[in-house]
Amino acid sequence: MSNQLIERQEARLAALYEVSSQLGKTLDLGEVLNQVMDSIIQLTGAERGFLMLYDNENGRLQTRAARNFDQETIEEDAVNISYTVIDRAVKSGEGILSSNAQEDARFSDQTSVVGYQLRSIMCAPLRVRGTTLGAVYVDNRLFSGVFEKDDLGLLVTFANQAAIAIENARLFTQTDQALARRVEELSLFQRIDQQLNRSLDLNQVLSLSLNWAIALTNAAGGSIGLFEELDSEDAEAAKLGTRQVLRLMVFRGEEDHSESRLVPLGHPIVRQIMQEKRSVLSRDVTAEESVDGTPANVQLAVPIVQEGEITGLITLETQQNVEINREDTAFVERLADRAAVAIKNAKLYEAIHAANKAKSDFISLVAHELRVPMTSIKGYTDLMNAGLAGPLSDQQKQFLEVIRRNLIRMSSLISDLSDINHIESGRMKFDRKPFDLREVVADVADSLRERITTRQQSLHIDIEDELPLVFADAARMGQVISNLMSNANKYTPEGGEIVVRAWPNGRSAYVSIQDNGLGISEEDQQKLFTQFFRAEDKAVREQPGWGLGLSIVRRMVEAQDGEITFESELGAGSTFTFTIPLAKMEGSG
Ligand code: ADP
């Protein structure tokens, strides 16, 4: 080899080393492509160069970089390049060189070769791990810059390295985009979940789900419906000839539709979904063919599945040429899964609400129906007791006394049940005003005095002199104190002691009712305040009661911004303490 040749070879290798080391410095695909093209022009001395990559969507080669010798992007249409050359290179997987295309039998009849007067052309495929990504192409119109075989070798070597750099940048962009999409989707779903879970109103849940589905797929409209079985007497069922229907609950679109359209299960798209148990994408659907009666270019119907059963359907429509792609479908499917949970919760809530309402209506009815005859029983008993129906024997008097005691028990049960009913349904009104707790405690003590003395118990009332007025419903507070004092009386053996205390602390008044009676076992303490709970103890069961008092007390205290706590030891006694807000003192704002 002559010195000159060796020198040229060295210079080439140095240039190759130089440009190769630049590769991979960036992961931005556009930058990598321009860099590759510039390096190739620099290496080969070409006039211009083009880099083409296969398009993922349509599988065709697309020019992704077009550069000239001055490292500028060539704006003009790349029609003047020889596609025959490129085609051959990518198909054969080998580099192609034509030193004088004008006279090269392979290419001389090409319009680009003739028209653009191409002389020297080189092309190398961009291949990585057995896949062809595209090709690089350089050409030159001058005689002076004719490419040689060595130039092709250089181009092919560099193209192999460039292909790796391009693939890396492409993968990076893909993963980067996929990751960004995933993060975006996760945070979006977090927002959707929050919104959906916040609502227990079925219509709102459906509405929210549909809005999100439309917004995120750019659909023009859509609907959301739930499957149901109509009553056999339902007029709609007779009209449709079936009881199994999809009830479209919410509808969004340009035209207004009745919100509660019924679609029979025999509808072709609906039937297909029920059979295949997956989303169905239909094209060019007419109003009749469409699930929700909206003609559409594309209609996507996504089932809402709960525990393996299809319970509803989301439909989305696009007009003109707006597509719904696979990603959109996957997105709506994930949304449908979330909507399914929220729909289930909302339906459960509706059912509980309905059951509670039924229970509350029933109790109101029973309470009313019982009160009327009880009033008359009580009236006649009182008349007889007063001797207005003739004189009574001792035994008759005794029997009447039993009737009277039982009437009291019954009426206390009825009034407890009505109270609970009122509190639970939010119908209990609290007429909160400032009042003096001393008066209420004294009234309650008076009403219980007889029962306390019968059991030879002592009662101490200790209210701090500084206790200001409290802010609550005085009658309800009387009920709370009466319940707690009555318990102290009932569950303290004869000769026991009851102490009622009240003192101010911060913005509240504290009221405690202490006894040295039966006390409550640790196990029973857990169940205290639950409705109908009563200790098994014989001494407890001897006393009249239904186990509703404490639960009412707690609700009444809490409804008036107070709290109730207790301390108790079996056999030693109990102390129940509750708080009520103090009335704001004048001048204190
Ligand atoms: P009732 O008194 O009608 O049974 P409550 O709800 O007022 O209903 O009380 C529930 C249960 O709690 C009582 O049956 C009793 O077992 C226990 N209990 C309540 N207060 C006391 C108390 N002061 N001492 C001991 N046990 C009590």
Side-chain angles (χ1 to χ4, degrees), residues 416 483-484 487-488 490-492 515 517-520 524 528-530 533-536 540 544-551 568 573-574 576:
D416 279 1
N483 251 310
L484 295 172
N487 280 353
K490 286 193 292 182
Y491 307 120
T492 301
D515 64 57
L518 303 176
I520 304 158
D524 284 352
L528 218 60
F529 298 106
T530 39
F533 167 75
R534 303 197 77 199
E536 293 295 336
V540 168
W546 299 98
L548 291 171
L550 283 181
S551 119
S568 184
S574 319
F576 287 83

Side-chain angles (χ1 to χ4, degrees), residues 430-445:
F430 292 91
D431 182 14
R432 296 171 75 179
K433 289 188 188 117
F435 67 89
D436 190 345
L437 207 57
R438 287 172 193 84
E439 288 167 20
V440 173
V441 172
D443 286 350
V444 174

Side-chain angles (χ1 to χ4, degrees), residues 210-231:
L210 180 61
N211 289 353
W212 278 112
I214 291 177
L216 292 152
T217 52
N218 288 323
S223 68
I224 185 162
L226 298 178
F227 289 103
E228 68 172 54
E229 189 171 328
L230 296 175
D231 250 17

Side-chain angles (χ1 to χ4, degrees), residues 388-439:
L388 292 176
L392 298 175
S393 69
D394 282 351
Q395 200 178 31
Q396 284 170 326
K397 278 190 184 156
Q398 226 181 328
F399 287 174
L400 281 178
E401 178 53 27
V402 175
I403 295 177
R404 201 187 61 88
R405 269 211 314 274
N406 279 295
L407 274 175
I408 294 174
R409 287 191 58 189
M410 277 180 80
S411 84
S412 87
L413 171 65
I414 292 171
S415 88
D416 279 1
L417 284 176
S418 316
D419 277 350
I420 288 182
N421 215 14
H422 276 93
I423 296 175
E424 280 184 352
S425 60
R427 279 182 291 146
M428 182 169 276
K429 298 278 169 283
F430 292 91
D431 182 14
R432 296 171 75 179
K433 289 188 188 117
F435 67 89
D436 190 345
L437 207 57
R438 287 172 193 84
E439 288 167 20

Side-chain angles (χ1 to χ4, degrees), residues 481-556:
I481 297 167
S482 169
N483 251 310
L484 295 172
M485 278 177 73
S486 156
N487 280 353
N489 162 254
K490 286 193 292 182
Y491 307 120
T492 301
E494 297 201 348
E497 192 182 31
I498 301 169
V499 186
V500 180
R501 294 190 180 83
W503 68 98
N505 187 0
R507 291 163 177 266
S508 302
Y510 281 70
V511 183
S512 77
I513 290 99
Q514 185 182 9
D515 64 57
N516 60 353
L518 303 176
I520 304 158
S521 72
E522 278 188 26
E523 194 191 336
D524 284 352
Q525 290 185 13
Q526 313 294 323
K527 303 175 208 152
L528 218 60
F529 298 106
T530 39
Q531 285 177 17
F532 300 107
F533 167 75
R534 303 197 77 199
E536 293 295 336
D537 192 334
K538 200 162 142 270
V540 168
R541 294 299 167 110
E542 269 171 7
Q543 297 295 325
W546 299 98
L548 291 171
L550 283 181
S551 119
I552 296 175
V553 162
R554 175 149 87 180
R555 285 158 190 247
M556 283 191 179

Side-chain angles (χ1 to χ4, degrees), residues 21 99 144 146 167 182 189 258 306 383 387 403 434 445 467 493 513 581:
S21 63
S99 304
S144 59
V146 182
E167 180 70 351
R182 190 89 191 106
F189 272 123
S258 104
Q306 270 164 16
L383 284 178
I403 295 177
L467 183 74
I513 290 99

